[in-house]
Amino acid sequence: SLNIHSSELRTSLDTLKQETEKQAQSHLVVAQAIKNDLEGSTTAFLQKQQQHKRSIQTEIEKEFKNKQTQEGYVARAREKYESDCMRINSYTAQSTLIQGRDLEKVHLKLERAQQTVQANQRDYANFARALQDTMTKWEQSWKAFCDSCQDMEEERIEFMKDNMWAYANAVSTVCVSDDEVCSLILLTPPAP
């Protein structure tokens, strides 16, 4: 009787060992599938995001710097123009208070300031037109950039959801398989 129980125990332990080895092998297969499928797609998605940053984001940053430069030109041209206008007003006011040689000097300064103000007014208008064109282009580029970021974010959310489901399904399959093996081992009656 002891030999029979010993034999049954040996058979049960051998069965347990075989089923555990099968489980380990199936776990290994699932782990490799998870690594290949999920890690590969994650790496590809990360590269896509990095490419987006290198190409689209870099370009919009260049356009932003160009816009800031144009704004600086307009601001400086406006300051020059306003400074010239104030100088003209000052010379005009002085000319009503002085006479003679001093008046001639002020008139010369006034003429020079009027010539300068015309050139600065042209520069100001040209820079303002260039800025307007740049702003129009910038607004279109910025909208396109925001749209591409929104698309990328929606794709990221969908990607994460899909990967989580794929992972959960793979793990679930392993759990079901493990439960079946455990049930099989527990329900297998010892050989008579």
Side-chain angles (χ1 to χ4, degrees):
S1 171
L2 185 57
N3 275 344
I4 293 174
H5 287 299
S6 197
S7 176
E8 289 174 3
L9 180 59
R10 179 69 183 173
T11 303
S12 293
L13 290 175
D14 285 344
T15 302
L16 179 62
K17 180 182 174 204
Q18 290 170 354
E19 292 302 323
T20 303
E21 286 173 353
K22 286 180 190 175
Q23 272 184 313
Q25 187 59 37
S26 70
H27 285 206
L28 206 60
V29 168
V30 169
Q32 193 60 44
I34 289 172
K35 180 174 175 45
N36 292 342
D37 296 345
L38 301 182
E39 187 177 300
S41 62
T42 301
T43 300
F45 184 74
L46 178 61
Q47 289 171 344
K48 184 177 181 178
Q49 284 184 317
Q50 289 170 339
Q51 180 60 33
H52 181 267
K53 185 173 183 174
R54 278 192 301 270
S55 60
I56 298 173
Q57 186 173 335
T58 300
E59 188 57 37
I60 199 74
E61 287 170 356
K62 285 180 188 176
E63 285 187 36
F64 180 71
K65 287 178 184 174
N66 181 41
K67 180 179 81 76
Q68 286 181 313
T69 300
Q70 295 275 334
E71 289 169 339
Y73 291 157
V74 169
R76 284 189 293 283
R78 179 178 171 213
E79 288 170 7
K80 282 183 178 181
Y81 173 72
E82 288 175 349
S83 175
D84 287 344
C85 288
M86 288 183 358
R87 210 173 18 243
I88 288 171
N89 288 341
S90 173
Y91 293 149
T92 302
Q94 285 178 23
S95 68
T96 60
L97 302 174
I98 56 175
Q99 298 178 357
R101 193 143 172 76
D102 289 336
L103 182 59
E104 287 177 27
K105 288 180 187 179
V106 168
H107 274 295
L108 284 173
K109 289 179 182 178
L110 181 60
E111 284 177 23
R112 276 188 239 126
Q114 287 172 336
Q115 290 170 355
T116 302
V117 80
Q118 289 172 355
N120 286 341
Q121 184 179 22
R122 276 192 305 274
D123 288 347
Y124 179 43
N126 289 337
F127 284 132
R129 268 191 301 277
L131 177 60
Q132 182 59 43
D133 294 344
T134 299
M135 289 296 288
T136 300
K137 185 177 185 294
W138 162 253
E139 288 169 4
Q140 292 167 351
S141 296
W142 180 249
K143 183 184 181 316
F145 173 71
C146 290
D147 289 345
S148 74
C149 288
Q150 178 68 30
D151 292 345
M152 182 65 73
E153 182 61 11
E154 289 172 4
E155 188 177 340
R156 184 190 67 80
I157 290 169
E158 193 65 28
F159 172 81
M160 291 299 293
K161 185 178 76 172
D162 291 347
N163 266 7
M164 288 298 141
W165 275 111
Y167 178 78
N169 287 338
V171 169
S172 176
T173 301
V174 169
C175 290
V176 168
S177 175
D178 288 352
D179 284 348
E180 288 172 358
V181 167
C182 289
S183 295
L184 178 69
I185 290 171
L186 292 174
L187 295 176
T188 303

